Amino acid sequence: AQSVTQLDSQVPVFEEAPVELRCNYSSSVSVYLFWYVQYPNQGLQLLLKYLSGSTLVKGINGFEAEFNKSQTSFHLRKPSVHISDTAEYFCAVSSSNYKLTFGKGTLLTVNP
Amino acid sequence: DAGVIQSPRHEVTEMGQEVTLRCKPISGHDYLFWYRQTMMRGLELLIYFNNNVPIDDSGMPEDRFSAKMPNASFSTLKIQPSEPRDSAVYFCASSLTGTGKGEQYFGPGTRLTVT
């Protein structure tokens, strides 16, 4: 079985500050890792994914994430956030099958 | 492409009534997923289809829930009878591949309120 833990349910930051959203996973097999973003009253949208290769993955809107196998982590970072980044962020894991297992989400609130 | 389309966007119904949620996946996507999102349980996979065939419905909470996919461009999720604890946002998603590597494209969701 696989599971995802997002360590912070809410992260408030000021505009132009850096941010890190933490994600840890557990799985008995090799995994694929994803970050999705959900803006208010919308569906989820893929930010980035790790399938293999370089452990640093770059996504849309200036976000990046680093896969750390030894720490079973896949933390999401952005060096300078904007008001428009306010949203809920979901970390997800899948293995060789179809099933995406999501974390509970982290609400990022960017304040002026 | 218009993306995944869901209807209605909002549904308010009384306990005991039948509710039908609809989804049109992205054309050419062979996989369709139904999720439920609640504050308490987060995002849960209810059922998924491959080429219109239900593959895994282990996430369907109970017999009151049923899902169909009569053709490649349409799926329904039905709740009969509905209960207040079914109140949630229901998402439909589609994907080109079910290998676990592929991106899932989500619709805007249907917010269901059962009173």
Side-chain angles (χ1 to χ4, degrees):
Chain A
Q2 52 201 27
S3 65
V4 177
T5 302
Q6 291 184 243
L7 297 158
D8 306 296
S9 59
Q10 297 187 52
V11 173
V13 295
F14 288 108
E15 194 173 17
E16 298 183 5
V19 71
E20 178 181 80
L21 306 183
R22 297 179 294 168
C23 172
N24 286 92
Y25 68 92
S26 67
S27 176
S28 57
V29 297
S30 296
V31 296
Y32 309 119
L33 294 156
F34 304 80
W35 276 99
Y36 280 81
V37 60
Q38 184 179 26
Y39 298 104
N41 300 314
Q42 294 186 28
L44 279 71
Q45 175 184 351
L46 183 69
L47 266 182
L48 49 79
K49 62 183 176 183
Y50 171 79
L51 302 181
S52 64
S54 173
T55 56
L56 184 63
V57 180
K58 294 190 184 296
I60 62 171
N61 300 339
F63 284 93
E64 63 181 32
E66 185 154 21
F67 170 59
N68 188 319
K69 188 174 182 178
S70 62
Q71 297 187 9
T72 59
S73 67
F74 191 54
H75 300 332
L76 181 70
R77 302 184 182 100
K78 186 170 182 178
S80 175
V81 293
H82 302 289
I83 299 284
S84 59
D85 292 323
T86 294
E88 188 143 26
Y89 292 79
F90 293 90
C91 183
V93 62
S94 73
S95 57
S96 59
N97 61 19
Y98 63 92
K99 190 171 182 176
L100 265 178
T101 300
F102 286 91
K104 291 290 183 69
T106 297
L107 178 62
L108 173 64
T109 304
V110 181
N111 298 301
Chain B
D1 201 313
V4 176
I5 298 172
Q6 291 188 248
S7 65
R9 291 295 309 275
H10 302 274
E11 178 80 40
V12 180
T13 190
E14 292 183 349
M15 183 173 64
Q17 297 298 307
E18 178 179 295
V19 175
T20 300
L21 312 181
R22 297 173 177 79
C23 173
K24 176 179 168 56
I26 293 173
S27 177
H29 284 192
D30 293 333
Y31 294 82
L32 184 138
F33 308 83
W34 281 101
Y35 290 89
R36 179 172 66 176
Q37 185 179 38
T38 61
M39 290 291 290
M40 291 298 295
R41 300 174 68 90
L43 268 163
E44 304 172 275
L45 177 65
L46 300 178
I47 185 171
Y48 98 102
F49 294 82
N50 178 21
N51 290 326
N52 313 336
V53 176
I55 302 301
D56 184 349
D57 65 355
S58 59
M60 297 284 262
E62 48 197 277
D63 292 344
R64 297 184 297 106
F65 285 69
S66 62
K68 294 182 180 179
M69 193 165 185
N71 57 61
S73 59
F74 185 65
S75 177
T76 60
L77 178 67
K78 187 175 293 186
I79 308 173
Q80 166 65 18
S82 58
E83 297 183 3
R85 60 195 167 117
D86 301 330
S87 296
V89 181
Y90 291 82
F91 289 102
C92 175
S94 69
S95 175
L96 268 173
T97 172
T99 63
K101 294 183 177 182
E103 176 180 357
Q104 291 187 18
Y105 294 80
F106 284 75
T110 296
R111 184 174 296 276
L112 174 65
T113 303
V114 183
T115 60

